[in-house]
Amino acid sequence: MSGTLVGRTALVTGGNRGLGRAMALAMAEAGADIVIWGRDSDALERTSAEVRATGRACLAQAVDVTDSAQVNAATGEAWSQSDGVDVAFNSAGVLLLQAATDTTDADWDAVIGANLTGVFNCCRAFGERMVAQGHGKIVNVASNFGLHGGANWAAYSAGKAGVIGLSKSLAWEWAPAVTVNVIAPGAFYTDMNSHLLDVPEIMAAVAGNTPLGRVGDPPELGPLAVMLAGSGSDFMTGSVISVDGGVIKP
């Protein structure tokens, strides 16, 4: 896929680590210039150095997506410095595995704030500018839990299901200039969930409920990100792509 994204600029929230980092690097290797957002300045610097090592430009911005003022300011800076952004991936989020009855108001607000309100803040800021420039692609990262739920995943599942509904609505609202699609990953081994997947019993349970018999590796999302960022997705909007190893759904 080398060269397929030459001339494009891609913005990735949560692009400093995990799935966001993997997708940012894949798009850089395909020729895109990259803007990455994150809250960890050290991780931002490491990932931006990796992007630049591919020969592509990288703008790293420290942004909390739950703060709409930060999002709007950073979006304006990204558009100005990059002379427009062609594609935006919303990958920033948090994880909570907890029984619904143990989920406090603060827990709920934190998860919904990061995983749904944060996505809305970014979509609104990106979408306004993309519609004005006459083109753009937005890709929101949800989860297979947003499709089928799961015990002890109430807040997380609700937020991710909300991302899917939001994306489908925006796909209608911003067509035909801007497309909005969704990736719904299953279990991928990242630093955010390693504390769970490093427990042998949990890893065995996840693998045992997956026809392919394992969890995903973040770089495996790279080719899909490149396709969604490029012309291969021009006739796609409102789509939800499940990448979960064929998880058996209850």
Side-chain angles (χ1 to χ4, degrees), residues 109-199:
D109 290 345
V111 173
I112 299 301
N115 292 356
L116 180 54
T117 305
V119 171
F120 173 73
N121 289 340
C122 295
C123 284
R124 180 173 56 186
F126 304 155
E128 179 180 15
R129 288 166 173 80
M130 288 179 171
V131 169
Q133 72 186 9
H135 68 91
K137 296 174 183 283
I138 294 174
V139 181
N140 294 325
V141 179
S143 167
N144 63 346
F145 281 110
L147 295 170
H148 60 71
N152 300 318
W153 291 96
Y156 185 80
S157 295
K160 295 300 187 177
V163 168
I164 293 170
L166 170 66
S167 302
K168 286 182 173 290
S169 294
L170 296 180
W172 281 99
E173 190 167 335
W174 292 337
V178 177
T179 62
V180 185
N181 292 296
V182 179
I183 301 174
F188 278 73
Y189 188 92
T190 67
D191 51 4
M192 188 166 71
N193 64 17
S194 61
H195 67 289
L196 297 172
L197 295 178
D198 283 339
V199 178

Side-chain angles (χ1 to χ4, degrees), residues 15-17 36-47 60-64 191:
N16 56 334
R17 61 180 66 216
I36 55 172
W37 288 9
R39 292 185 296 178
D40 182 331
S41 58
D42 290 338
L44 276 172
E45 183 54 39
R46 287 193 300 270
T47 303
Q61 297 174 289
V63 184
D64 178 352
D191 51 4

Side-chain angles (χ1 to χ4, degrees), residues 2-93:
S2 176
T4 59
L5 298 182
V6 169
R8 301 195 185 211
T9 298
L11 188 157
V12 186
T13 76
N16 56 334
R17 61 180 66 216
L19 300 182
R21 170 184 170 275
M23 293 188 292
L25 290 174
M27 289 188 287
E29 289 166 357
D33 292 327
I34 303 296
V35 181
I36 55 172
W37 288 9
R39 292 185 296 178
D40 182 331
S41 58
D42 290 338
L44 276 172
E45 183 54 39
R46 287 193 300 270
T47 303
S48 62
E50 291 177 301
V51 170
R52 294 186 187 108
T54 70
R56 308 312 308 170
C58 184
L59 171 64
Q61 297 174 289
V63 184
D64 178 352
V65 298
T66 68
D67 184 328
S68 61
Q70 283 190 39
V71 167
N72 291 334
T75 301
E77 181 184 0
W79 249 256
S80 175
Q81 291 202 25
S82 304
D83 194 25
V85 172
D86 302 291
V87 57
F89 280 71
N90 287 309
S91 184

